[in-house]
Amino acid sequence: MTDDQRLRLVLWLNAGAVVASVGLVFGALAIQFGQHEVPCPLCLLQRLGFFAIAAGGLLNLRYGVRPAHYGVTLLGALTVGAVSLRQIALHICSGFQTGQCTGYGGAPLGWHLYTWAFVAAAAAVLGIALLLMIPTPYVRPAKASLLTIVVFAYVGVAAVVNVGAVGVQCGVGSCADPTYGSSMNDPSNVVAGLTPSFLVPTWRRDGEELRFAKGGGMSWSGSSGSGEGAAAFPNPTEEILSVTGGACGTAAGTYAVTMATSDAMELRLLEDPCADRAQALAGAWTTG
Amino acid sequence: MVFIFLAWLAVGVAMWRGWHRWAMLGAVGSMALTLVMLKIHATDVIGLCL
């Protein structure tokens, strides 16, 4: 294989890596908007890491293959690893919130062996990244090839879509974590502003409608009356909906929320401030 | 969070325009910002089940 053939092969492999890495971001976007899943802050940070991995490949395509560009990719991989490991830890440590979780085996110097192994691996990757970032001679393309243009456009579309999606979800601040569930249809996520306004569902049953809004607004209509009120979720561990506003006989009260699926919700009345009235909102609702 | 995504977008623009040094600095800086965000969202990442 000649030098030129090897260079072309390496560039194509870089392009493939970029497409695959950003393809995962596109997959996440498809789940976000196709299945109405709220991406958690750690999920968004992992997307950033995949862009970082892609950046190294893009640099190679645009400027020629350099160790420093691989260094960018390695740092991106480290970023993804760090964030995803954190997220894995959240879910494998059943006693995480109570501080009573137990690991596997002994813990020399305070950490379990698998933790030390990960730290060693991460340190090795970091070392390689730093070594690869030492400048070396390279052949810089005279102009961007068609392959480079196509791959840049592909990544650019993903980046712009993500900026829009994150802006809609989080505004200009840091992103809030879904408290009770990941579905955009979950009223708590709607109230918290994690659901884009164009995806806020209308809950229905037998001619009745129920709708929540960002910031705690809610409205209902149907045979049992109609009106507007305020929704809040004061309990940090259980999804308890507190409805205030509206006259007695409408909807005020405290309800336990159960999401059977992302499209089916049950409200169970826990507390009725007007003890003489019907449970206006209690029962099953669907988004269909 | 959106600013980090914008930072990566800027890195891409720098890359495309031929500003190699800015693209490299931006990429490393944006990754540092990403890790800062990880620290913000996961302040207790060390010491849980390690």
Side-chain angles (χ1 to χ4, degrees):
Chain A
M1 191 177 269
T2 65
D3 285 350
D4 188 51
Q5 285 173 325
R6 272 198 297 273
L7 181 61
R8 287 170 63 87
L9 175 64
V10 167
L11 288 176
W12 273 97
L13 288 174
N14 269 276
V18 171
V19 168
S21 177
V22 176
L24 295 174
V25 177
F26 273 120
L29 283 168
I31 291 171
Q32 178 179 350
F33 291 106
Q35 300 179 10
H36 295 188
E37 289 272 336
V38 178
C40 58
L42 294 179
C43 311
L44 296 174
L45 293 179
Q46 285 166 58
R47 290 187 197 178
L48 287 167
F50 285 118
F51 276 114
I53 291 171
L58 288 175
L59 285 163
N60 278 338
L61 288 169
R62 183 73 176 85
Y63 299 100
V65 179
R66 283 180 68 170
H69 301 160
Y70 287 121
V72 172
T73 297
L74 277 171
L75 288 175
L78 271 177
T79 303
V80 173
V83 180
S84 60
L85 181 69
R86 154 68 179 177
Q87 196 162 12
I88 291 165
L90 277 175
H91 296 292
I92 63 173
C93 299
S94 56
F96 156 65
Q97 286 180 320
T98 61
Q100 295 174 336
C101 59
T102 54
Y104 180 80
L109 298 177
W111 287 359
H112 290 287
L113 289 174
Y114 44 81
T115 305
W116 283 117
F118 179 81
V119 171
V125 173
L126 180 62
I128 293 168
L130 294 175
L131 286 172
L132 284 172
M133 291 182 84
I134 297 171
T136 51
Y138 71 106
V139 179
R140 179 169 173 158
K143 63 175 186 174
S145 65
L146 179 62
L147 174 68
T148 303
I149 293 169
V150 169
V151 173
F152 259 86
Y154 171 80
V155 178
V157 168
V160 169
V161 170
N162 267 285
V163 167
V166 173
V168 167
Q169 180 187 334
C170 313
V172 295
S174 62
C175 294
D177 234 334
T179 307
Y180 309 105
S182 62
S183 171
M184 285 186 184
N185 294 344
D186 192 312
S188 63
N189 289 334
V190 174
V191 169
L194 295 174
T195 306
S197 57
F198 60 93
L199 290 176
V200 170
T202 298
W203 294 96
R204 293 188 173 85
R205 67 175 183 191
D206 300 331
E208 293 183 300
E209 287 189 353
L210 171 63
R211 193 171 169 86
F212 297 89
K214 179 182 178 180
M218 62 179 292
S219 60
W220 58 88
S221 63
S223 58
S224 59
S226 63
E228 294 182 348
F233 294 86
N235 190 316
T237 54
E238 287 182 82
E239 189 166 4
I240 305 295
L241 166 64
S242 172
V243 180
T244 54
C248 282
T250 53
T254 304
Y255 302 83
V257 181
T258 304
M259 298 290 295
T261 67
S262 63
D263 295 319
M265 167 179 76
E266 176 148 0
L267 299 181
R268 183 166 53 85
L269 190 70
L270 298 176
E271 189 180 327
D272 180 358
C274 310
D276 57 340
R277 65 167 175 77
Q279 300 178 7
L281 298 184
W285 296 83
T286 63
T287 59
Chain B
M1 185 76 81
V2 75
F3 291 114
I4 307 183
F5 277 89
L6 282 170
W8 274 110
L9 201 55
V11 168
V13 171
M15 231 184 271
W16 181 250
R17 295 297 301 269
W19 304 331
H20 183 254
R21 181 171 297 178
W22 285 112
M24 290 292 288
L25 284 172
V28 175
S30 299
M31 252 176 296
L33 277 176
T34 305
L35 292 173
V36 168
M37 288 300 289
L38 173 62
K39 177 65 178 169
I40 289 171
H41 284 290
T43 51
D44 50 0
V45 67
I46 303 296
L48 290 178
C49 301
L50 302 178

